[in-house]
Amino acid sequence: MKLVKALLCLLIFGLMYSCDNKKQAFDSIKPVSNNSLERVEPPNWFIGFKDVSLQLLVKEKGIGSFKPSISYKGVVIEKVHTARSKNYLFIDLKIDKRTDPGKFDIIFTSENGDIKAHTYQLKAREKPSENYIGFNSSDVLYLITPDRFANADATNDLGLAVSTANENSESVHFLKENSINRNDDYARHGGDIKGITSHLEYIDNMGFTAIWSSPLLTNNMPSQSYHGYAITDLYEVDPRYGTLADYRELADKSREKGIKLIMDQVANHCGSEHWWMNDLPFNDWLNFQENFENNGALITSNHLRTSNQDLYASKSDKKGNSDGWFVATMPDLNQKNPFMAKYIIQNSIWWIETIGLSGIRQDTYPYPDKDFMSNWAGAIMAEYPNFSIVGEEWSYNPLLIGYWQKGANNRDGYASNLTSTMDFAMQRNVVDAINEKESWDTGLVKMYEGLANDFHYATPKDIMIFPDNHDMSRIYTQLNGDLENTKMALSFYLMMPRIPQIYYGTEILMDDFEKPGDHGLIRTDFPGGWKGDAVNAFTGKGIKADQKNMQMFLKKVLNFRKNTKAIHEGKTIHFAPYMGTYLLFRIIDKEIVVLILNKNDKPIHLDLKRYSEIGLEGKILKNVISGEKITWDTGISFTKRGVTLLTTKLN
């Protein structure tokens, strides 16, 4: 009898369990409303992160008086936060790593029974965190200002003429700058994402292994929106550049060619036309917000970036740097507000996953709250251990450059978690070294002593070097229009233990002689990027002899560098300048690369015994540019000024 009762109990339990499972299965596939509120950001999320928390920013008129609920297995609302503005809610979620991908409704219910719904989606991740491989010293980045590179889709030139919805089902409004004028250096010219994608073959053939594009997100500013750094929607691709699908296509097709994609992000500020500026959620969402809201004087940054490290800096100087607005049209975000901090971190992770990025370049790195920046970089690197982030620290002081790099032995204990910083100091040293006359303290010694500062850096080869960028005069202009001097500079930047970045157009000697330092002119259209261009640098049509010379030179050096481990990982040995020459060697195993910079206009003979410790005597080396083979003997002669690049790799 006991056995019968036990079997009966098991049968009843089994039926109940089966019904419950069927109910759960039914619940998990029940239809969703596909309704959307004004904004829910991030617009979707992903399953399987180490950090299982997610904070949703919800923007909808009067939503602050509603209570959210979710019925989806594995998703739990842990806390709901109201804001100063009644049009916001911030919802803390916990997402179990075993949660199934899918869509579900977030139901919002008011006290009087009104109901709103928003359909949210959790997506499966495309690959594990460890497979997001960043840029490193084997790469050379090609920096592009997308509005000025190539226009492959004229239909998006003017953006949207009417209000509509973007790919995240959020409202997109009429764009304030919706005209094209290629004769105005500060207007939009029409370059777009497809313009980059359609010229990947050129970028690959030149020998570049990574692309860094200036920001591609919406800049709904009334003027000068082309540069991209006054972002007005952190989750939207600017319609004048294309769509989210276009951005993803660029990433996918780049990856097929072995080219990495780096995203330019801005944690310090937004554009003054950002959608939240008319309804800020908290009274401390921005720095100096009270001045803005009361139409008071806008306090801009004092730009005293050294206050981050200065032992004696006053509190007012520190606050002036970190809290002041970068310019009056770029409100300073308050990363000390925990909701803003979470928003920025999640935004970066969302773009990494959505596009499949290989790295981030973070603008104006020393301006935001530096503790937040450590947390921001730390959160990304904890999730993506093989990822790369480079921060812009525009300083000519190696002490400041080194301070921001991961592994720095900072006396104040600060740990940045930042894999790479930018070497503005060495950029200037190279220009000075080549432009100056040779003396005991000028000329090539500037390069020699500049490189000697590497003892200060945690990992010198992970620092980014560049001849110029989108904010400074073109390298050809800095070197006074001298072709051979430009070749020498570029060769050194590419051979030193660094991650090099080259600005688009450097390969064809683009310049800003007409108005040196003028940003609009520096960011000139790449010839051939527009239908009907008389000159086409992509094909070589119509470019001048010196431009063709430089393009072919750089192509040879870049492709040589791409496959040369001695440059990527090798030991560096250099010798003090001698007789107007400077020699640098990169060595790994039996592979040796020799860079010789010669500033002499008259013929000279260089005694090679001085370099005997390298062990090259009697060895055959190949000239990377000419292909000529030479024997490293007792001496070498030069008939004119220029660069010589040699390798022991003969094939």
Side-chain angles (χ1 to χ4, degrees), residues 277-296:
M277 293 301 290
N278 293 323
D279 185 12
L280 295 166
F282 298 99
N283 59 12
D284 62 348
W285 196 245
L286 307 175
N287 289 314
F288 294 114
Q289 184 170 319
E290 185 177 352
N291 296 55
F292 166 73
E293 291 183 325
N294 295 328
N295 296 315

Side-chain angles (χ1 to χ4, degrees), residues 173-410:
H173 300 290
F174 176 77
L175 293 168
K176 294 176 172 62
E177 189 175 15
N178 65 335
S179 61
I180 298 293
N181 184 359
R182 292 182 67 196
N183 294 317
D184 182 347
D185 289 340
Y186 287 89
R188 296 193 77 95
H189 291 192
D192 47 40
I193 295 171
K194 287 183 178 177
I196 303 174
T197 307
S198 62
H199 291 101
L200 284 174
E201 191 75 20
Y202 169 81
I203 295 169
D204 183 36
N205 287 340
M206 279 296 299
F208 296 104
T209 62
I211 295 170
W212 155 25
S213 167
S214 295
L216 291 163
L217 306 187
T218 296
N219 270 241
N220 196 11
M221 302 294 286
S223 64
Q224 298 188 32
S225 64
Y226 78 95
H227 60 68
Y229 290 96
I231 298 170
T232 58
D233 191 326
L234 287 159
Y235 280 101
E236 180 184 76
V237 173
D238 195 306
R240 292 161 294 193
Y241 287 140
T243 65
L244 186 64
D246 293 335
Y247 197 3
R248 181 57 195 252
E249 181 186 36
L250 170 61
D252 291 342
K253 290 192 173 181
S254 296
R255 196 176 302 109
E256 289 172 7
K257 292 184 175 296
I259 296 174
K260 300 170 182 177
L261 190 62
I262 290 89
M263 185 178 187
D264 204 335
Q265 296 189 352
V266 188
N268 181 64
H269 55 263
C270 64
S272 56
E273 297 294 332
H274 193 286
W275 60 262
W276 58 41
M277 293 301 290
N278 293 323
D279 185 12
L280 295 166
F282 298 99
N283 59 12
D284 62 348
W285 196 245
L286 307 175
N287 289 314
F288 294 114
Q289 184 170 319
E290 185 177 352
N291 296 55
F292 166 73
E293 291 183 325
N294 295 328
N295 296 315
L298 296 178
I299 299 175
T300 55
S301 176
N302 58 22
H303 302 286
L304 297 176
R305 300 184 301 277
T306 55
S307 62
N308 282 298
Q309 298 88 7
D310 188 352
L311 298 176
Y312 317 115
S314 63
K315 290 180 181 178
S316 62
D317 284 350
K318 288 176 178 286
K319 184 177 178 64
N321 177 69
S322 65
D323 291 6
W325 293 22
F326 194 72
V327 294
T329 56
M330 295 179 178
D332 201 70
L333 305 179
N334 179 21
Q335 301 87 13
K336 292 185 285 295
N337 177 301
F339 299 99
M340 173 63 81
K342 189 75 169 177
Y343 184 93
I344 296 171
I345 291 170
Q346 290 180 165
N347 179 259
S348 293
I349 291 173
W350 188 86
W351 282 110
I352 293 169
E353 287 288 327
T354 300
I355 300 301
L357 298 173
S358 294
I360 291 172
R361 180 264 185 183
Q362 184 60 249
D363 189 55
T364 54
Y365 205 85
Y367 287 86
D369 179 75
K370 74 177 191 179
D371 291 329
F372 163 76
M373 293 310 296
S374 173
N375 294 336
W376 170 81
I380 292 171
M381 296 308 299
E383 195 62 59
Y384 306 96
N386 299 316
F387 199 68
S388 298
I389 310 171
V390 59
E392 180 197 29
E393 161 62 287
W394 193 317
S395 173
Y396 299 110
N397 185 343
L399 297 178
L400 301 186
I401 296 168
Y403 178 87
W404 296 107
Q405 191 182 23
K406 178 182 178 181
N409 185 22
N410 295 321

Side-chain angles (χ1 to χ4, degrees), residues 553-567:
F553 171 83
L554 194 55
K555 184 177 181 179
K556 284 185 178 180
V557 175
L558 287 171
N559 280 286
F560 168 70
R561 188 189 193 281
K562 185 190 291 188
N563 300 300
T564 303
K565 205 169 182 181
I567 301 173

